Each structure stands twice: as C-alpha cells, then as structure tokens.
Amino acid sequence: MVPELVRTWVAGWATSRHTPRPAERPWGLFVEVGLPDQVARHVLPDAHELAVREAASSVTVPHTWLKVPMDPAEVGRWLPEGWVVDKGESGHLMATDLRTTAPRAPEGYTASLDTRDAVTYLQVRDVEGELAAWGQMAVLGRATVIDRVTTESAHRRRGLGAFVMRALADHAVAEGVTLGVLGATDDGRALYETLDWKVYAPLAACIYRP
C-alpha cells in the first residue's frame, strides 16, 4: 500500500506545484523542481538499501533531494558522501478515506474556492479581507493530494487549519474523490490525526550538499 500512496503523492505534488510530470527511474520517480534550494527530487516508492544507494549515486547537482518512505536515521546509513538527512524537511506520509462534513468557517472569516490548471485553491480571509489561512489540492481520478495547508501566525488556534482540510475534503468528495493523501510536517500530523488521517510511513528528506 505504501508504494502506491507514494506514487499518488508524488503525482499530486507535481500537479499542485506545477512541475513537469514525474519521470520513471530504475529506483523510483524523478521530478524537476527548478528551485534554487531544490533543483530536483528523487522519490522512492519502495524503501530499500539498493534503491537509496543507486538514486543517491546518480546525483551530481547540489540541492537535489531524495525522499524515502522510511525512518530518516535508517536512510542516513546508506547515503554516500555529500548527502545530509534534513530532519526539518522530513515528515510523514498520510492518507484517509474522505467523507463529507459540511464545515463552516469560524466566526469572522470567509472562505473562497478557485480551481485553475487542475489545482483547487481554498483561501480564508478575516473581516478586513486579509489572508488568514489557505490550502490547495490536486485531484487524480479517485484520489486527491492536499498540499500547502497554512495558517498565518496571528490567526492560529482558531480552527482554521481544520476548516481548510475539511472544506477541501468536501469539495473533493463532490468531485467523486474517495482517497486523500498528503505529506505532513510534525505539526501538520498532529492536526491531521484529529481529522482521522493516518500515518502510513515516515518521509525522510535527504539533500545533496557537497
């Protein structure tokens, strides 16, 4: 199940971030990202030593990432010189069976949905029209990948993150989607678990910094 979820996550992440489609490699998937701090990323659906070593050894460009669905400390033992495990960028692969909950925005906030280029964006604004929270998702058939769920620091602890997640899920269900997938930070994991999302694997983030 984990390899399948990883492939769904990578495909949705690429759509959400408007990168080229993931390309197949012998060890997994490769995505051209094109950012200064993340030129590209290799993602391994199957976490095992040979795949990690082959993917890492193929890299010659600094700031290329490697994402692996296993404990970061374990992956670190297999990495050649020049690679580091970035614990701050590591996270958790999560998924859930989506359901409708008909959420309402917290008092004093309004929400808007907009779909552009296969990505649905949800924005939440306060009474003055300032952006308070947001998130987005890419639908892939019966699955959706939720991405970039964020609440501005001045608006935290008011239920906005949970509202964004539920509102995106409701929209996905209305589109015929049944499965939700995402990559979560530690803080995100704590929220998503309260919404019945389940962790299926850690997501180690390794970066080539020679």
Side-chain angles (χ1 to χ4, degrees):
M1 175 132 191
V2 168
E4 207 173 298
L5 289 176
V6 170
R7 285 183 171 276
T8 298
W9 172 62
V10 176
W13 187 92
T15 300
S16 176
R17 305 295 177 104
H18 301 293
T19 71
R21 294 179 63 180
E24 291 284 347
R25 293 290 186 269
W27 47 82
L29 298 161
F30 176 76
V31 182
E32 289 278 3
V33 181
L35 298 175
D37 61 347
Q38 185 177 177
V39 175
R41 61 166 51 186
H42 293 270
V43 185
L44 276 54
D46 295 297
H48 56 82
E49 182 177 357
L50 181 60
V52 171
R53 291 188 182 278
E54 286 186 342
S57 297
S58 75
V59 173
T60 58
V61 179
H63 304 295
T64 297
W65 289 35
L66 176 62
K67 300 283 277 190
V68 189
M70 66 183 300
D71 183 85
E74 291 186 47
V75 179
R77 296 186 290 109
W78 301 332
L79 293 172
E81 187 176 349
W83 283 88
V84 296
V85 177
D86 192 320
K87 293 184 179 178
E89 295 290 349
S90 295
H92 314 276
L93 179 68
M94 304 186 73
T96 191
D97 294 323
L98 296 176
R99 68 183 191 280
T100 300
T101 59
R104 293 185 178 182
E107 186 175 353
Y109 295 93
T110 56
S112 62
L113 271 172
D114 180 32
T115 300
R116 304 187 308 274
D117 299 325
V119 182
T120 296
Y121 302 88
L122 175 68
Q123 294 187 338
V124 183
R125 298 182 181 274
D126 64 14
V127 290
E128 296 178 351
E130 294 296 323
L131 189 60
W134 60 90
Q136 62 196 62
M137 68 179 183
V139 172
L140 309 166
R142 291 289 183 176
T144 189
V145 174
I146 296 180
D147 188 27
R148 286 179 164 165
V149 175
T150 308
T151 301
E152 290 283 6
S153 56
H155 299 274
R156 290 175 184 163
R157 301 190 182 281
R158 302 182 188 181
L160 294 180
F163 169 75
V164 168
M165 291 293 293
R166 288 185 169 127
L168 287 172
D170 270 33
H171 183 75
V173 171
E175 296 290 317
V177 174
T178 57
L179 174 68
V181 183
L182 57 77
T185 62
D186 289 340
D187 288 344
R189 171 184 175 173
L191 167 64
Y192 306 146
E193 286 183 327
T194 68
L195 303 174
D196 297 328
W197 287 70
K198 178 183 175 183
V199 174
Y200 281 85
L203 277 176
C206 313
I207 306 175
Y208 186 51
R209 295 174 180 157

